[in-house]
Amino acid sequence: QLSSDRDMEETTPVRQQHRFNTDRLHRYLSAKSLVAGQSNPSFLIQTPSKSYVLRKKPPGELLPGAHQVGREYQVQKALFSAGFPVPQPLLHSTDVEVIGTEFYLMEHVKGRIFRDLRLPGVSPAERTALYVAAVEVLAKLHSLDLASLKLEGYGRGAGYCKRQVSTWTKQYHAAAHKDIPAMNELSNWLMKNLPASDNEVTLVHGDFRLDNLIFHPTEARVVAVLDWELSTTGQPLADLAYFLMPHYWPRSLHIINVLIHLSGIPSVADLTSIYCRCRGIPSSLPELNFYLALSVFKMAGIAQMKFNASLDWYDLTQWTPFFTRVSMLDIFWVMPAHPRQICPTEHTLFLQTAKGQAVLQEVKDFMRQYILPAQEVIRAYGNSGCNKMYLCGQVKAREAGLWNLFLPAVSGLSQLDYAYIAEETGRCIFAPEVFNCQAPDTGNMEVLHMFGSEEQKKKWLEPLLKGEIRSCFCMTEPNVASSDATNMECTLRRDENSYIVNGKKWWSSGAGSSQCKVAIVMCKSSSQDVSNRHGQHSMILVPMDTPGVKLIRPLTVFGQDDAVHGGHFEVHFENVRVPASNIILGEGRGFEIAQGRLGPGRLHHCMRAVGLAEFALELLCQRAASRRTFGKKLYQHEVVAHWIAECRLMIEQARLLTLHAAHALDTVGSRAARKQISMIKVAAARMACKVVDCAMQVYGGAGVSADFPLAQMYSYARTLRFADGPDEVHLSSIAYQELKDQLKKAQAKL
């Protein structure tokens, strides 16, 4: 029933004298774009105080079983009661005398709906966050308990895929304007290759697409999932595959193939990893190709239905040739096991977004006004009072909004945006700390953001993001070769509702800070399968004031204290008991977490190393232009001139490789960008060492003194060659990835 201009509680069936031609209203509202693109027309109903949405069956002859608005109302009512984001359903009417068809009324949810899957008008970082939010809400849907929802009888449960193939085959034959042999082939193939997992049963949406979601007006958060017409119970991976399907369309279609080129669109591997993590299931989905082929088949059937319905809003100009000329089986056979990935440098100039450029300029101004002068004061008068200077700088940075710039979900910046910013902060050893972008806190915050429970985020992530506390990361051990992390001996043992940690760690950066309140500790779980080398380790949160946590000694770097970061400490854990809720993600997930942590973290180090090298080259040139030997200035000696040229070459090469890796992180995700990250991890550290070494050589004895920053810069650059994995491990990884890539190229030529 349409609402009058009174409150919702006073709405009544339309009186005879107020009745009107609903078909004309339908056509009028369609022209005003108030009828959405769903098959069940939706109308916006407005009163002076509220807005509602009316969903009704379309007029005319309908396919059997289609357009059951009563089921939509039923499932939305159950989901709304469970706290799942759907519009609140208000009433359901089967009285066709009211407006001519069955309908239901629900609240009108305000927010953003993206019809274009490329999400134009948003930054790459927000684009990533929106896609992640979408797949997280899908995982939440599939994690709901049917009994709790009182929807056990809502669908037919097990055997979903078989029913889907049968149903869409029937729908296709009922609606097809002509016979398409490829559709028949695909239908037969699907029925003969049903997955073994077809017995899994959850609530499924049936049409889960980005444009069926309403996002918060300003936040990357789903506030409502729409269009439950095809919802039922059955295999949840069909929903996931349908959502991922645009990543696989052949490029020849020219429909949305730019999706995989666009900065910020997560890869299929990243989206499936997030989905599986949220649901707590294994990340390998060997039958995904079947569900993708089923999705294509379903889309073809829908296209035929829309073609016959002659709905103006549905553009078939590009779909019809595809379904009539291209073999549907061809799509399935060429579908890769992983998303199609392009070379990150293709058609890319590594340009920042407008927001990234603005923030970079603000950081440069802030550095020039506050940080670089403070660096000169500390160098002249020592570290006394430097903590006070850090705190003053942090207050100013936070007031300026230059805070937590490293975390895309918070800053709205992409990794490419942040690459330029981190380079700027690399010009000063303590600058990252001023912006709350210092290691190891950045990596720890990323871990908690990506993998932490809500309880862990509230207790530790929130104060870390506010800069109220510090943290450390305990991974390397003194008694084993930690370049092979499977050697770790620190143990984790479950004892009822607690875990007990025993072991020795060292090079735990920041552990000596008075603000360091928590450590993330990598341990070997005693309960895990010893045959799985990478499934035995876990990460757990250990408050630093827990009994049994002992700070043994600070470690020096080249014989000097490194107090800027709170020192690098040896830490012992002796029967340290912490709550079981402190485990991150679950036992045996340590290496999985480490890969998520170390990807961006390694890149951040490399970004800063480029900035450090730029500053070292500036110092080199200043010295070369101001000192004379043997009757001419230093830069006039050919060897020094060649050093300057070589340094410029190395810096530019490293910068491009850094930006290449940052772009790869944004476009294909951490896992697919492993080779690029390993390459820059080796190249940036070597480059920074060489540039600083040249500068030290030009400065002579002054270069190794405390009068200039070069000695401290060199210790940082040299340490970087084994921090987060030694060069040799990364070189082996690069070689392995290169051989795989070459093998793929060779096979593609056959």
Side-chain angles (χ1 to χ4, degrees):
Q1 59 195 52
L2 299 177
S3 61
S4 67
D5 57 359
R6 300 186 179 188
D7 289 339
M8 185 64 200
E9 290 77 6
E10 300 181 40
T11 59
T12 60
V14 179
R15 297 181 179 88
Q16 183 65 39
Q17 63 270 31
H18 292 157
R19 295 199 175 191
F20 49 82
N21 189 308
T22 57
D23 290 336
R24 290 180 181 176
L25 174 64
H26 189 180
R27 288 193 293 272
Y28 173 80
L29 292 176
S30 296
K32 297 295 183 181
S33 298
L34 291 177
V35 178
Q38 294 90 351
S39 55
N40 282 335
S42 304
F43 298 85
L44 176 63
I45 310 296
Q46 293 181 306
T47 73
S49 59
K50 293 183 179 180
S51 297
Y52 309 96
V53 172
L54 182 148
R55 286 269 287 181
K56 64 183 286 292
K57 287 188 175 185
E61 185 177 351
L62 304 178
L63 290 170
H67 310 291
Q68 298 184 45
V69 295
R71 284 175 59 82
E72 290 188 47
Y73 178 80
Q74 179 189 0
V75 72
Q76 283 188 223
K77 187 174 181 180
L79 288 169
F80 183 82
S81 298
F84 187 82
V86 291
Q88 180 180 7
L90 301 170
L91 59 85
H92 172 224
S93 174
T94 57
D95 186 354
V96 296
E97 295 297 321
V98 180
I99 62 170
T101 64
E102 180 184 357
F103 70 92
Y104 72 96
L105 201 68
M106 57 184 161
E107 69 166 340
H108 175 233
V109 179
K110 294 183 178 180
R112 295 178 290 172
I113 297 180
F114 296 95
R115 301 295 182 193
D116 189 335
L117 300 185
R118 295 168 294 183
L119 308 188
V122 304
S123 69
E126 186 178 8
R127 203 172 284 131
T128 300
L130 290 167
Y131 265 88
V132 169
V135 82
E136 285 179 340
V137 83
L138 180 62
K140 181 178 180 181
L141 171 68
H142 295 159
S143 300
L144 294 173
D145 180 63
L146 290 171
S148 299
L149 293 173
K150 298 180 180 179
L151 290 176
E152 299 100 318
Y154 183 68
R156 293 166 61 185
Y160 174 79
C161 293
K162 183 177 182 179
R163 291 195 304 276
Q164 282 286 292
V165 176
S166 177
T167 297
W168 285 106
T169 298
K170 292 175 182 176
Q171 298 280 39
Y172 158 69
H173 285 303
H177 67 289
K178 63 179 293 185
D179 186 57
I180 302 176
M183 286 288 287
N184 300 327
E185 283 185 75
L186 184 56
S187 172
N188 293 334
W189 189 95
L190 289 168
M191 191 60 76
K192 292 177 181 178
N193 291 273
L194 295 170
S197 59
D198 202 16
N199 290 327
E200 183 179 0
V201 177
T202 71
L203 183 62
V204 294
H205 182 275
D207 194 18
F208 194 85
R209 311 190 311 259
L210 205 69
D211 56 338
N212 272 335
L213 308 178
I214 300 179
F215 290 93
H216 188 277
T218 59
E219 301 173 12
R221 176 164 56 89
V222 177
V223 293
V225 181
L226 306 177
D227 199 4
W228 294 87
E229 179 186 353
L230 298 178
S231 62
T232 184
T233 57
Q235 170 54 252
L237 292 183
D239 266 351
L240 177 64
Y242 194 70
F243 178 72
L244 298 175
M245 183 171 52
H247 287 74
Y248 291 93
W249 285 124
R251 298 187 184 190
S252 58
L253 283 181
H254 302 293
I255 300 175
I256 49 175
N257 59 308
V258 292
L259 189 65
I260 59 171
H261 291 263
L262 199 61
S263 177
I265 301 293
S267 67
V268 169
D270 286 338
L271 291 173
T272 53
S273 176
I274 293 166
Y275 171 85
C276 294
R277 173 174 58 82
C278 290
R279 286 196 62 204
I281 62 176
S283 57
S284 60
L285 302 175
E287 296 174 326
L288 182 61
N289 275 1
F290 172 90
Y291 298 108
L292 288 164
L294 176 60
S295 298
V296 171
F297 181 66
K298 176 179 172 180
M299 182 60 74
I302 292 174
Q304 290 298 321
M305 291 163 61
K306 300 301 183 184
F307 181 86
N308 271 1
S310 298
L311 295 179
D312 293 337
W313 58 266
Y314 204 93
D315 181 10
L316 285 173
T317 57
Q318 291 174 317
W319 291 85
T320 302
F322 177 53
F323 294 132
T324 55
R325 294 201 306 268
V326 178
S327 168
M328 303 300 291
L329 283 172
D330 287 344
I331 300 174
F332 177 71
W333 293 125
V334 300
M335 276 183 182
H338 299 289
R340 186 184 300 109
Q341 294 165 358
I342 60 169
C343 173
T345 57
E346 187 177 343
H347 308 303
T348 303
L349 296 175
F350 302 132
L351 296 177
Q352 283 184 294
T353 63
K355 180 176 182 179
Q357 293 172 6
V359 174
L360 174 60
Q361 188 57 53
E362 291 181 62
V363 169
K364 286 182 175 180
D365 294 342
F366 193 95
M367 292 278 293
R368 184 171 57 252
Q369 185 174 359
Y370 298 110
I371 294 180
L372 297 180
Q375 181 174 239
E376 294 300 320
V377 172
I378 291 173
R379 187 179 306 129
Y381 298 100
N383 286 329
S384 59
C386 66
N387 285 336
K388 184 176 180 180
M389 296 181 73
Y390 295 159
L391 292 174
C392 290
Q394 285 182 328
V395 170
K396 292 181 183 295
R398 191 166 184 177
E399 289 174 349
L402 303 176
W403 197 252
N404 296 326
L405 301 175
F406 72 96
L407 194 59
V410 174
S411 66
L413 300 172
S414 67
Q415 294 291 349
L416 184 59
D417 286 331
Y418 184 63
Y420 291 93
I421 294 166
E423 177 183 332
E424 188 67 25
T425 64
R427 296 171 61 85
C428 173
I429 293 293
F430 64 81
E433 193 167 351
V434 173
F435 300 108
N436 207 40
C437 294
Q438 70 284 346
D441 294 308
T442 52
N444 291 343
M445 285 187 269
E446 284 169 332
V447 165
L448 290 169
H449 173 71
M450 291 188 293
F451 306 112
S453 66
E454 291 305 314
E455 176 188 351
Q456 292 165 355
K457 289 179 181 179
K458 186 172 183 61
K459 188 171 183 178
W460 301 115
L461 178 58
E462 291 182 11
L464 280 169
L465 288 170
K466 294 176 182 177
E468 296 172 350
I469 65 172
R470 295 286 302 275
S471 64
C472 64
F473 186 65
C474 299
M475 187 168 183
T476 306
E477 297 182 4
N479 297 330
V480 298
S482 297
S483 57
D484 178 359
T486 60
N487 288 333
M488 287 179 196
E489 295 177 340
C490 184
T491 61
L492 180 75
R493 177 172 60 84
R494 183 70 181 256
D495 184 27
E496 296 181 347
N497 293 325
S498 301
Y499 282 106
I500 299 174
V501 180
N502 276 287
K504 299 177 181 180
K505 299 287 184 179
W506 71 344
W507 294 107
S508 299
S509 303
S513 170
S514 61
Q515 291 296 103
C516 184
K517 303 300 181 185
V518 65
I520 295 181
V521 185
M522 184 84 153
C523 308
K524 181 177 288 187
S525 302
S526 59
S527 61
Q528 297 302 300
D529 181 7
V530 295
S531 64
N532 184 355
R533 295 180 68 239
H534 294 92
Q536 301 176 40
H537 297 77
S538 305
M539 287 194 189
I540 192 164
L541 290 156
V542 178
M544 295 300 286
D545 59 0
T546 307
V549 177
K550 298 182 179 180
L551 298 183
I552 302 301
R553 60 181 176 126
L555 301 165
T556 60
V557 180
F558 286 104
Q560 301 297 315
D561 183 24
D562 193 22
V564 171
H565 301 292
H568 308 286
F569 268 75
E570 181 173 346
V571 186
H572 290 187
F573 299 88
E574 298 177 0
N575 293 316
V576 176
R577 182 181 292 269
V578 295
S581 59
N582 283 23
I583 197 79
I584 301 177
L585 200 59
E587 281 195 64
R589 310 290 291 276
F591 275 92
E592 178 183 344
I593 299 168
Q595 289 306 312
R597 180 190 193 275
L598 291 174
R602 284 170 174 155
L603 186 58
H604 297 165
H605 278 307
C606 299
M607 296 165 175
R608 290 189 288 267
V610 174
L612 177 145
E614 281 284 7
F615 185 41
L617 182 55
E618 286 181 21
L619 294 175
L620 188 163
C621 292
Q622 290 170 11
R623 189 78 166 187
S626 63
R627 293 295 177 102
R628 302 178 68 88
T629 62
F630 305 104
K632 54 186 176 180
K633 291 187 176 181
L634 291 179
Y635 73 83
Q636 293 176 320
H637 292 278
E638 188 175 44
V639 65
V640 176
H642 285 188
W643 287 347
I644 293 171
E646 293 287 354
C647 287
R648 173 50 60 202
L649 286 170
M650 288 187 291
I651 291 172
E652 293 300 328
Q653 290 166 354
R655 178 182 289 112
L656 285 173
L657 197 53
T658 304
L659 297 175
H660 181 193
H663 180 68
L665 267 179
D666 285 333
T667 54
V668 298
S670 296
R671 185 176 182 83
R674 282 179 299 175
K675 186 166 76 170
Q676 286 83 6
I677 293 170
S678 289
M679 287 192 294
I680 187 54
K681 177 63 176 61
V682 174
R686 287 180 174 180
M687 175 276 298
C689 273
K690 181 62 178 177
V691 173
V692 177
D693 184 72
C694 288
M696 293 172 71
Q697 196 70 14
V698 171
Y699 274 78
V704 296
S705 73
D707 292 355
F708 296 92
L710 292 170
Q712 187 181 28
M713 293 164 69
Y714 184 82
S715 70
Y716 169 80
R718 184 60 185 85
T719 304
L720 191 58
R721 289 190 58 194
F722 47 79
D724 287 344
D727 287 359
E728 292 72 20
V729 171
H730 287 290
L731 289 169
S732 295
S733 177
I734 294 166
Y736 174 74
Q737 294 294 328
E738 182 64 22
L739 288 167
K740 279 181 59 179
D741 292 344
Q742 293 291 345
L743 182 60
K744 286 180 182 178
K745 289 180 183 178
Q747 290 176 337
K749 293 178 181 178
L750 296 178

